[in-house]
Amino acid sequence: MKKWTKEIEINAPIEQVWKFLDGSVENMQQIMPQVVEHKPIKITEEVVGSVYRQKYREGKRTEEYDIETLEYSNATNEKKLKVGFTLAKMFEITAFYELNKINDNKTSFTYTVTNRPLKWFVKLFLLFATDKVVVEFLERVKNVAEAETSRS
């Protein structure tokens, strides 16, 4: 299993950053443009255990998978969302988003991803995996949230 954790400071209020992770499909698509659909399949009152069917386009190919909410916390100064899914019957992936309020206009965002291969031959691919995708995602969230803050 591979695990990457990265942190970035975003010059935007915590609620503004949170809405891209825990909001509408349109908000989510601003930071994850490859997501073409995100439909609720099972919604629980406490959020944990909720399942969404997500469609993700990579080039001409569209993957469909179910994402389960594994952890959820929406406090004023600290927000957490952990989701898990299986990609192409090859990888079991978790994504953990942690937001902490630094002040009214600054948020700390920590992103942790785990990737566990489900087939022996896929383990070879993980040997060459880097944190590039994780870093690019953090930068995209920062850029989108800060651009919106400057427009407000």
Side-chain angles (χ1 to χ4, degrees):
M1 182 171 82
K2 281 266 194 166
K3 181 178 182 176
W4 297 272
T5 300
K6 294 286 175 193
E7 187 178 346
I8 197 167
E9 272 190 18
I10 300 174
N11 294 309
I14 191 168
E15 291 297 336
Q16 192 157 317
V17 181
W18 183 239
K19 78 174 191 181
F20 295 112
L21 302 168
D22 188 41
S24 68
V25 178
E26 293 76 26
N27 284 340
M28 184 186 293
Q29 287 171 328
Q30 289 184 59
I31 61 167
M32 299 178 211
Q34 302 92 334
V35 172
V36 291
E37 197 172 280
H38 187 78
K39 285 186 181 168
I41 301 297
K42 178 180 117 185
I43 300 298
T44 64
E45 213 171 290
E46 57 283 343
V47 183
V48 172
S50 293
V51 177
Y52 294 84
R53 171 106 2 106
Q54 196 169 82
K55 288 185 182 175
Y56 182 93
R57 184 170 293 125
E58 192 69 53
K60 288 183 167 46
R61 211 176 71 235
T62 302
E63 286 285 339
E64 185 176 276
Y65 42 84
D66 290 348
I67 294 183
E68 182 177 0
T69 304
L70 305 171
E71 189 176 327
Y72 184 87
S73 165
N74 187 359
T76 304
N77 296 325
E78 180 185 74
K79 300 177 184 303
K80 295 179 181 179
L81 175 62
K82 184 177 187 177
V83 296
F85 60 97
T86 300
L87 184 61
K89 297 186 180 100
M90 302 270 210
F91 299 100
E92 195 172 86
I93 297 170
T94 66
F96 187 34
Y97 312 102
E98 293 176 90
L99 300 178
N100 287 288
K101 181 177 178 175
I102 296 170
N103 62 40
D104 286 348
N105 297 306
K106 194 172 279 204
T107 303
S108 168
F109 177 28
T110 306
Y111 179 46
T112 302
V113 177
T114 63
N115 190 329
R116 190 168 71 85
L118 299 175
K119 308 231 186 307
W120 66 269
F121 58 90
V122 185
K123 289 180 183 175
L124 297 173
F125 293 112
L126 279 187
L127 292 175
F128 305 104
T130 68
D131 64 0
K132 180 177 175 239
V133 172
V134 175
V135 171
E136 286 173 354
F137 177 70
L138 283 175
E139 290 290 336
R140 189 164 47 250
V141 172
K142 177 180 174 69
N143 292 338
V144 168
E146 288 180 355
E148 186 169 284
T149 298
S150 67
R151 283 194 301 267
S152 311

